[in-house]
Amino acid sequence: MSDCHQCYECGWVYLAAQGCLADGIAAGTTFEDLAEAWACPDCGAPKSGFYPADTDSLGQAHNQFAGMSDPHQMASAKISAAGSASVIQGAAFGSLVEAGSSNKSSVNNDKGSDESSSKSSGGFRIWECIVCGWIYDEAKGWPQDGIAPGTRWEDIPEDWVCPECGVGKDDFEMQLVSGDSQPEESAIAVLSDYEIDYSREPLVVIGTGLAAYQLVREWRQKDQRTPLVMISRDDGAYYSKPLLSTGFSKAKTAQDLQSKTAEQMAAELCADIRIFSHVEAIDTQSKTLTLNGQPFSYGKLVLALGAQCIQAPLQGNALDRVYQVNDLLDYQRFRTALAGLGQQARVLIIGGGLIGSEYANDLAASGYHIEAVEAMDRVLGTLLPIEASYAVQQGLAKLGVTHHFNTVVEKIDRNSEGLTATLSNGTQVNCDIVLSAIGVRANVQLAEQAALATERGILVDRQLQTSAPDVYALGDCAQVDGHLLYYIEPLNQCAKVLANNLAGEPEQSVSYGVMPVTIKTPACPTVVCPPPRDLAGQWKIMGEGINIKAEFVDDSGALRGFALTGAAVELKGQLSAKMPAMMS
């Protein structure tokens, strides 16, 4: 085997024979001789995040990138090689990719070149993710994903997702840039365009989370006349909740994660945003709320109540050192507490599911000492088959995360050096702070008090209508036609449908398609599309190490779910195309 090492986060390859001229590393420099501070040129992973690889398995398309002196040249090479990338990645962990299959993630270089030249007279455009605020600048491209500088938005593959929060192209908006750039369309109204008719009963939205703001931004583009009132139990800041579990490794403060203040959102939406306010009751017969002890009328009401953290049943004298992160204020409290403990703080995480695993990855990558306790026998046990769970566990272990399985935390007590957590199996774990991340549960109490139909969430039909007239629900609190999904993609679809219907346009219905979930564990990239509950079938597993392809097939042999880890995540588009829609 030649001196060849591959980045476990993004798959970039270092070949000693070629070096990396872009980083000033001469051909012939061995991997061991690279500076310890050197990082992957593609994704920034540390040197320790590389593992020895076999060039024969990797093929030539990856190898050609190492040693290119021009980052633009490297990006173009990646694009031209993308057609064979799926076969290359497949070779690294078995025949995971069907021979001859097209790679939807690739960019057609010839097409991009032709269209780019035909559009060169116009300026480049800037696109903003409406979920997290991440910016795509056509002039700069995004070489980290093989998108060369100058790549037009329409030439980016349709299955490409935001590098920051994982949403698709549909959830970006176009922004003007200085110079001669002209947007192809601009449907965004400005405050001066609004002519609010205050004789109308208002649209009232309870909640100012991502679901609420996504909805009203869509709706306000269609309706600039109806008064809008939003009620927030906190400061009403606009931010993307999925970013909370990636903020520590990116050194993001709460203010960094905040896209806009409530004041700014009020100006943008021409809205009356009531911060730090509380709705005590809803009377659907009289169409009134009890808001801060006073009656308040609505024309139409939207419940965007979100979900709350599940409380771990703990005892002990140090429960004040147990934190949960469910919103931006929680994040600020926990981050402030960690800052007082220093970078070597020992963090105990309760929970090894999706939320717990994301925080374990993020905090470990930030340099904290992490131990995690999970009641099941593996991480992500309710989402992944055993082999994929072990892949994620292996990736987290490389970051230094220690897991305690088949047990729960019973007590948190103070000791002379910090805290002691006592587990149900008798083990004692010393730590400095505790993060409880065992999951969330839909907020349904207010709906139940109003006699709305509820189960695991607030029951709504495909038009997001609850059991009461003129009352709707969306987001983490809404159980849509039987589906309760705590993810971004269904939230965005619901926001668009409900905005359309509230604005009085031809009625639309929610129709969930295939919705793979990206789990934010860069130590072992993971994508899962869980099979339906209680569906008879079996998992078929291929791969080894952290690179696992798992397909769930039903008794008829049809693909009904999949889980991908490591390099296999590139197969997401291919497998999604074979899946039936979640809603028929």
Side-chain angles (χ1 to χ4, degrees), residues 450-507:
L452 300 179
T454 64
E455 289 179 358
R456 293 178 295 128
I458 303 171
L459 295 182
V460 297
D461 59 20
R462 295 195 184 189
Q463 293 77 45
L464 290 307
Q465 172 81 53
T466 70
S467 57
D470 294 325
V471 181
Y472 306 83
L474 85 164
D476 290 350
C477 70
Q479 187 173 332
V480 184
D481 198 24
H483 298 276
L484 182 63
L485 305 174
Y486 300 119
Y487 309 123
I488 291 294
E489 191 171 351
L491 178 157
N492 288 333
Q493 186 179 142
C494 288
K496 292 174 182 177
V497 167
L498 185 53
N500 174 87
N501 295 347
L502 291 173
E505 299 194 357
E507 187 174 75

Side-chain angles (χ1 to χ4, degrees), residues 351-421:
L354 188 150
I355 300 173
S357 295
E358 289 187 348
Y359 276 113
N361 195 125
D362 193 45
L363 291 166
S366 304
Y368 296 105
H369 176 77
I370 306 299
E371 295 194 50
V373 179
E374 168 55 40
M376 297 186 69
D377 60 354
R378 63 188 192 274
V379 300
L380 298 161
T382 62
L383 286 174
L384 303 180
I386 293 175
E387 294 82 358
S389 288
Y390 288 165
V392 177
Q393 182 181 336
Q394 179 182 342
L396 293 175
K398 287 182 179 179
L399 284 180
V401 178
T402 299
H403 281 96
H404 303 267
F405 294 113
N406 295 308
T407 187
V408 297
V409 180
E410 292 185 335
K411 294 179 63 180
I412 305 292
D413 293 303
R414 287 180 170 80
N415 63 36
S416 60
E417 297 181 352
L419 307 174
T420 297

Side-chain angles (χ1 to χ4, degrees), residues 127-136 142 144-145 147 153 156-173 240 242-243 246 250 488-489 492 518-520 527 572:
W127 298 74
E128 180 182 25
C129 176
I130 63 176
V131 174
C132 70
W134 186 84
I135 296 293
Y136 175 73
W142 188 246
Q144 291 90 328
D145 282 351
I147 300 172
W153 179 250
I156 296 175
E158 291 305 311
D159 62 351
W160 178 84
V161 298
C162 173
E164 189 79 4
C165 69
V167 300
K169 285 180 68 178
D170 288 344
D171 298 304
F172 278 70
E173 288 180 348
S240 176
L243 300 185
T246 63
K250 297 176 181 178
I488 291 294
E489 191 171 351
N492 288 333
T518 299
I519 301 174
K520 300 187 291 294
V527 174
K572 180 182 73 171

